[in-house]
Amino acid sequence: MAATSAVKLNATSWIAQQPFNQRTGSASFSPSARRVSVVRAGSYSDELVKTAKTIASPGRGILAIDESNATCGKRLASIGLDNTEVNRQAYRQLLLTTPGLGEYISGAIMFEETLYQSTTDGKKMVDCLIEQNIVPGIKVDKGLVPLPGSNNESWCQGLDGLASRSAEYYNQGARFAKWRTVVSIPCGPSALAVKEAAWGLARYAAISQDNGLVPIVEPEILLDGDHSIDRTLEVAEKVWSEVFYYLAQNNVMFEGILLKPSMVTPGAEHKEKASPETVAKYTLTMLKRRVPPAVPGIMFLSGGQSEMEATLNLNAMNQTPNPWHVSFSYARALQNTVLKTWQGLPENVDAAKQSLLVRAKANSLAQLGKYTAEGESDDAKKGMFVKGYTY
């Protein structure tokens, strides 16, 4: 079932995929760059397309529960629980065994521990998802480390051994993957950091597709800073231009990927907040300038926005038709109220599951452009931005 599909680019889209020249502010060309290569996704081509379309299905989005053990520990500590495997299992079991979750959630990103875990009654976590038509996913990067030669920026590690790990994850039931790298506006971003982020994402995407996993491409532009929304737009366009240039160079099949971008907003410390309509206008402008319509789905990250803010912004982006499925891949913006409701108490499990359904349904409606904020709780309105947040 080896599938190949030639990439045909017009002049405009080809220019958009050229690496940004930091000094001249223009695209640069070389004779060899003019040669258009053939995209290959190997024997998994048809399956990748099917998986991506399943995740990008109407009214559904992604539940991200792939926090590292250390980060999950911080979440548990916020409700007075120790960071033990038993407590992490109890919390993730609560989330993944919520009845009716598959009506609003199409995919769940897990940490490696959860992928191999079972519930307390012996059912595999993966099977809990599959029974509700939720596609199991897996975080495959190994975290951020300082990038030498940069302006105090980071790069994402994890390419070593990724092919063999991806094959193992596939055998365990995972069908899509996530790799998160970050770009910091207050730190520049430097050309080196942008190129490193884009290249790492492209290599990861190619390796994932070669092993049957749909790659989620996530260069998170951090909310940290006091910059304007126009500055965020400028950086986002530069970053996504580089990302798609290197995705094409690595023969990644665009029909078999999903994107997880940041929304285009002002920095968290900017003096003026942007309305949902403004965020939608700037974000969709960026996407239409940089993302080919062959990409099936745009699954936004919440990035520290409040639960309600993330939902309102998503809803505003779905007021008119888009070339792609525009949806969500939220962690804190789906889980914050759940944690506060649960408090680690068995008698609160059912109420916590209900609060997850409330948030999932709200974002499902936002994906359809039908959400209203009527009846939202005060907790849903509280921002969750943490300066220098690590995942």
Side-chain angles (χ1 to χ4, degrees):
M1 192 164 57
T4 62
S5 57
V7 178
K8 297 180 181 178
L9 302 171
N10 60 33
T12 302
S13 60
W14 180 243
I15 290 171
Q17 292 186 22
Q18 301 314 301
F20 189 88
N21 184 306
Q22 191 75 1
R23 289 175 294 179
T24 65
S26 61
S28 58
F29 293 88
S30 67
S32 60
R34 293 180 182 277
R35 291 195 292 271
V36 179
S37 59
V38 173
V39 172
R40 300 178 181 87
S43 59
Y44 293 101
S45 178
D46 291 344
E47 183 181 348
L48 291 168
V49 172
K50 182 179 178 181
T51 299
K53 286 182 176 179
T54 299
I55 297 172
S57 55
R60 300 206 297 167
I62 294 173
L63 170 64
I65 56 167
D66 59 315
E67 302 92 344
S68 65
N69 287 347
T71 301
C72 190
K74 295 177 184 177
R75 304 271 174 88
L76 295 174
S78 73
I79 57 171
L81 292 183
D82 292 332
N83 186 15
T84 66
E85 182 176 355
V86 170
N87 285 337
R88 293 192 299 271
Q89 177 196 35
Y91 178 54
R92 286 163 171 162
Q93 176 175 325
L94 181 162
L95 297 170
L96 300 185
T97 59
T98 297
L101 189 62
E103 184 176 349
Y104 313 118
I105 300 296
S106 55
I109 313 170
M110 294 177 283
F111 193 61
E112 186 175 76
E113 178 182 78
T114 314
L115 180 70
Y116 289 93
Q117 265 179 342
S118 296
T119 63
T120 50
D121 57 5
K123 180 183 287 187
K124 292 180 181 179
M125 296 284 192
V126 168
D127 290 338
C128 293
L129 294 172
I130 294 172
E131 285 179 4
Q132 293 214 56
N133 194 30
I134 299 173
V135 182
I138 178 71
K139 170 187 167 76
V140 299
D141 69 76
K142 293 296 184 179
L144 301 169
V145 292
L147 177 62
S150 71
N151 186 25
N152 197 31
E153 296 162 288
S154 302
W155 68 286
C156 189
Q157 56 188 347
L159 289 176
D160 289 350
L162 179 58
S164 58
R165 285 190 289 118
S166 296
E168 291 172 7
Y169 297 150
Y170 183 92
N171 288 336
Q172 186 63 19
R175 289 298 180 268
F176 73 102
K178 173 196 155 181
W179 175 287
R180 173 186 179 261
T181 191
V182 301
V183 173
S184 170
I185 293 179
C187 290
S190 68
L192 173 64
V194 172
K195 181 177 180 180
E196 176 59 43
W199 177 256
L201 284 165
R203 289 303 307 139
Y204 137 78
I207 293 168
S208 295
Q209 288 190 338
D210 199 46
N211 288 279
L213 302 179
V214 169
I216 289 183
V217 178
E218 181 183 0
E220 179 175 355
I221 298 172
L222 298 171
L223 279 175
D224 303 59
D226 60 1
H227 49 276
S228 69
I229 194 169
D230 289 288
R231 175 60 178 152
T232 307
L233 175 63
E234 178 186 8
V235 172
E237 288 183 349
K238 176 162 56 174
V239 169
W240 282 106
S241 174
E242 291 269 308
V243 167
F244 274 100
Y245 171 74
Y246 287 114
L247 286 172
Q249 282 215 331
N250 280 272
N251 298 320
V252 172
M253 184 178 68
F254 292 173
E255 293 86 351
I257 67 174
L258 296 167
L259 307 187
K260 186 170 179 175
S262 309
M263 296 179 190
V264 178
T265 67
E269 297 159 274
H270 189 65
K271 57 188 177 184
E272 296 179 9
K273 292 201 72 171
S275 68
E277 293 74 23
T278 300
V279 171
K281 177 184 175 182
Y282 274 78
T283 305
L284 292 175
T285 294
M286 182 275 292
L287 293 174
K288 288 172 182 175
R289 289 174 177 174
R290 290 293 180 266
V291 180
V295 174
I298 313 289
M299 322 298 287
F300 282 102
L301 59 91
S302 54
Q305 301 176 72
S306 73
E307 290 179 332
M308 192 175 79
E309 185 181 12
T311 309
L312 282 169
N313 288 339
L314 177 62
N315 186 70
M317 280 184 261
N318 281 300
Q319 294 308 300
T320 55
N322 292 302
W324 339 263
H325 176 80
V326 174
S327 192
F328 60 92
S329 178
Y330 292 165
R332 286 174 284 174
L334 282 172
Q335 297 180 50
N336 189 50
T337 303
V338 179
L339 263 176
K340 291 181 178 180
T341 303
W342 177 45
Q343 292 295 317
L345 302 174
E347 60 265 32
N348 291 344
V349 166
D350 287 344
K353 288 183 176 183
Q354 185 59 36
S355 66
L356 175 59
L357 285 179
V358 167
R359 288 262 47 91
K361 182 178 180 180
N363 286 291
S364 169
L365 290 170
Q367 197 288 308
L368 299 170
K370 298 177 180 179
Y371 167 77
T372 65
E374 294 177 10
E376 286 283 19
S377 68
D378 289 338
D379 281 337
K381 299 174 185 177
K382 292 178 181 177
M384 293 176 282
F385 169 73
V386 177
K387 191 171 184 177
Y389 178 77
T390 55
Y391 203 71

